[in-house]
């Protein structure tokens, strides 16, 4: 007897275990090597097709008498009825059933099937269409009319039913009936296409007045720009110019503020152009430009420009467009006077016109809108108004005094104790230089250094004095520069470079020494490199070595070691350049060997440092050894690659666990380096552990023997 836990009422006397399907155990593939003969997908498909059995088709049934025919029909009807019972919602079953009855010429039964289908789902317009097509195809005209009439009564919003109904009546020649159906349809206020179809129907039979009356009802039902334009084009096509103009005038009265008003005005103006009325068209364009917002009038502007090019003069179009845009900019700056972009656009517009007094007025009004807060981010856009004003006065009007006043007022306005703009100082100084007022330029730059010192100001001031050849002024400026920013490595390097260009080697060296002795530097590596390059260029090899040693006392970065070694390796060529006559005792090869030996010593020192003092910097040590190996390779016959190869590490891929925020753990791969001394230590530990294990084993065996 099966237990209650395993039994189930639906399984009878069997248990769930008896009904379980036991799949065969998957075979384990032991040999995964490729087979000697490979099978392609094409071969598998071909074999499957060849082994496929022939399709089993039911035998053809021949009906010999009326009894068999009635039995066959009864059986088929029963199949259809069963399908309908199972899926009453399926339209395709109803349609196939009705079409089968139709194929057997049993129209009454087919009509009954269609009626039953519609009774189940009368909202499905496809059923009505197929039902009416059945009646029309079999020439039951009145029945088809009945079906269409019921369909449009129940579903008046389905346009396709109306189209089909009207089309049938029109084919039958019943024009009055088709018109009556159209009138019924129009009572439901269909979309524009429905009205246009009715109009086309009337025009096919040359009923112009009827079409005009329909257009009148159409624009009342759909008061849109496109509807009025169609109505006007209809009148224009019939040669009724006055009627078309009247339609456009009605449209402008009702739809002047519509979103598509631009299209209406363009169409109205083009209509007047075709009627040879350019003055009317110009008045329409101007009226439209006064009433349509700027954002929606782009196409209108283009059309107006094209119209004026064809019918008017340049001044007319410029006055119209500039006047409109001036009004818009005035509106914008009135609403938000701190929107400096609007002021820029406004000034640019006035500059195209060229009225100097008006341009100055706009600039003065613009710069009067001072930012509300004394923060630089609020002034960054505003300051360009002053710059553009000054450049306009200098370039366009060529008024030197006005330009100087603009720069002076701008510099007075800025609170330099809180923020300043190097650009305005430099532009003012460059303007004075262009006017050959060198004293004024120096005064401006001196004030800039005193009130708001900046890197750009110092650099430009030094550049100006250097171009003028005033070396003493350049030195004073560099001293002021370094007093203001002693950590600026760029200033120290440029100062030393200036002294070196003047052949003042000792002064340049003293500047470098003073620079590297500073407690804080922004980019010390660039300063040290410049100092070392300076000594190398001067040919002071011993000084260069001493510099490298001093640098290594401060930092043990592997790039410093590599640079030091490369310097030693290349010092042989520098020594050859220094010697005018080669010495007979010392061969060039010997000198090169000596340089290589020094470079190796530096690499040995670096390797010993990373090995003993910084064992955690494995990656830097590996990079150092790779550079050493490359250098030995470049030495050619004098190089010894084996010296480095014995020190190279092995690259190992390892994984380390990383805990996520949600508490889960994932593993990340990283590259580790195993150096020869570490592998020897590991081997010794393994031997020591093996020795202990052997000793313990011998002791235990002696105890067992005793």
């Amino acid at each position: 007897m099966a237990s209650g836990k395993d039994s189930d009422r639906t399984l009878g006397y069997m248990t769930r275990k008896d009904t379980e399907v036991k799949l065969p155990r998957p075979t384990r593939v032991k040999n995964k090597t490729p087979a000697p003969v490979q099978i392609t997908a094409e071969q598998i498909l071909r074999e499957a097709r060849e082994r496929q059995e022939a399709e089993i088709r039911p035998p053809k049934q021949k009906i010999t008498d009326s009894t068999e025919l009635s039995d066959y029909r009864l059986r088929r009807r029963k199949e259809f009825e069963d399908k309908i019972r199972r899926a009453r919602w399926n339209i395709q079953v109803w349609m196939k059933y009705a079409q089968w009855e139709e194929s057997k010429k049993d129209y009454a039964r087919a009509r009954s099937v269609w009626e039953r289908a519609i009774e189940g789902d009368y909202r499905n317009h496809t059923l009505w269409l197929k039902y009416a097509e059945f009646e029309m195809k079999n020439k039951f005209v009145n029945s088809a009319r009945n079906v269409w009439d019921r369909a449009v009564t129940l579903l008046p919003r389905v346009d396709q039913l109306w189209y089909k109904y009207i089309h049938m009546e029109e084919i039958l020649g019943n024009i009055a009936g088709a018109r009556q159906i159209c009138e019924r349809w129009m009572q439901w206020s269909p979309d524009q296409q429905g009205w246009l179809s009715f109009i086309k129907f009337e025009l096919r039979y040359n009923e112009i007045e009827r079409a005009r009356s329909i257009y009148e009802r159409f624009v009342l039902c759909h008061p849109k720009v496109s509807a009025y334009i169609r109505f006007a084009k209809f009148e224009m096509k019939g040669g009724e110019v006055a009627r078309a103009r009247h339609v456009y005038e009605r449209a402008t009265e009702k739809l002047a503020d519509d979103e598509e008003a631009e299209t209406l005005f363009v169409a109205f103006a083009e209509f007047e152009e075709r009627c040879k009325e350019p003055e009317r068209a110009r008045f329409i364009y101007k009226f439209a430009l006064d009433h349509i917002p700027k954002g929606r009038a782009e196409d209108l502007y283009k059309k107006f420009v094209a119209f004026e090019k064809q019918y008017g003069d340049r001044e007319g179009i410029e006055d119209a467009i500039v006047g409109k845009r001036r009004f818009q900019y005035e509106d914008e700056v009135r609403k938000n006077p701190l929107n400096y972009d609007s002021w820029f656009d406004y000034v640019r517009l006035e500059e195209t016109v060229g009225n100097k007094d008006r341009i100055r007025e706009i600039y003065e009004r613009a710069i009067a809108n001072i930012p509300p807060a004394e923060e630089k981010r609020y002034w960054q856009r505003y300051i360009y108004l002053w710059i553009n004003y000054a450049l306009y006065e200098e370039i366009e009007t060529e008024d030197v005094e006005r330009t100087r006043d603009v720069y002076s007022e701008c510099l007075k306005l800025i609170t330099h104790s809180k923020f300043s703009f190097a650009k305005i100082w430099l532009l003012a100084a460059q303007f004075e230089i262009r006017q050959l007022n060198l004293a004024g330029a120096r005064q401006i730059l001196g004030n800039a250094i005193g009130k708001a010192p900046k890197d750009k100001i110092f650099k430009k001031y030094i550049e100006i004095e250097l171009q003028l050849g005033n070396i003493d002024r350049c030195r004073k400026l560099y001293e002021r520069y370094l007093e203001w920013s002693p950590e600026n490595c760029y200033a120290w390097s440029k100062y030393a470079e200036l002294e070196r260009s003047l052949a003042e080697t000792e002064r340049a060296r003293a500047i470098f020494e003073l620079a590297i002795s500073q407690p804080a530097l922004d980019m010390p590596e660039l300063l040290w490199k410049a100092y070392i390059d300076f000594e190398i260029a001067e040919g002071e090899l011993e000084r260069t070595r001493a510099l490298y040693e001093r640098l290594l006392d401060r930092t043990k970065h592997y790039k410093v070691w590599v640079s030091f070694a490369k310097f030693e390796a290349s010092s042989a060529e520098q020594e050859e350049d220094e010697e005018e006559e080669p010495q007979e005792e010392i061969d060039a090869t010997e000198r090169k060997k000596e340089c290589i030996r020094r470079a190796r010593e530096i690499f040995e020192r670096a390797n010993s440092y990373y090995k003993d003092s910084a064992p955690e910097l494995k990656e830097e040590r590996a990079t150092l050894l790779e550079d050493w190996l490359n250098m030995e390779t470049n030495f050619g016959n004098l190089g010894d690659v084996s010296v480095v190869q014995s020190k190279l590490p092995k690259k190992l891929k390892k994984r380390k666990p990383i805990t996520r925020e949600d508490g889960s753990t994932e593993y990340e791969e990283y590259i580790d380096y195993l150096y020869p001394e570490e592998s020897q230590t590991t081997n010794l530990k393994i031997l020591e552990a093996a020795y202990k294990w052997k000793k313990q084993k011998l002791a235990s065996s002696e105890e067992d023997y005793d």
Side-chain angles (χ1 to χ4, degrees), residues 318-332:
E318 287 182 355
D319 291 342
I321 294 179
V322 170
K324 175 60 180 176
R325 292 174 64 185
R326 185 180 291 131
F327 174 77
Q328 291 169 349
Y329 287 135
E330 286 288 347
D331 187 45
E332 289 181 11

Side-chain angles (χ1 to χ4, degrees), residues 77 97-106 109-110 113:
R77 289 188 182 111
Y97 190 7
Q99 288 168 1
W100 181 81
E101 293 288 3
E102 182 185 359
S103 65
K104 301 304 175 187
K105 307 296 182 183
D106 198 341
R109 285 182 180 274
V113 173

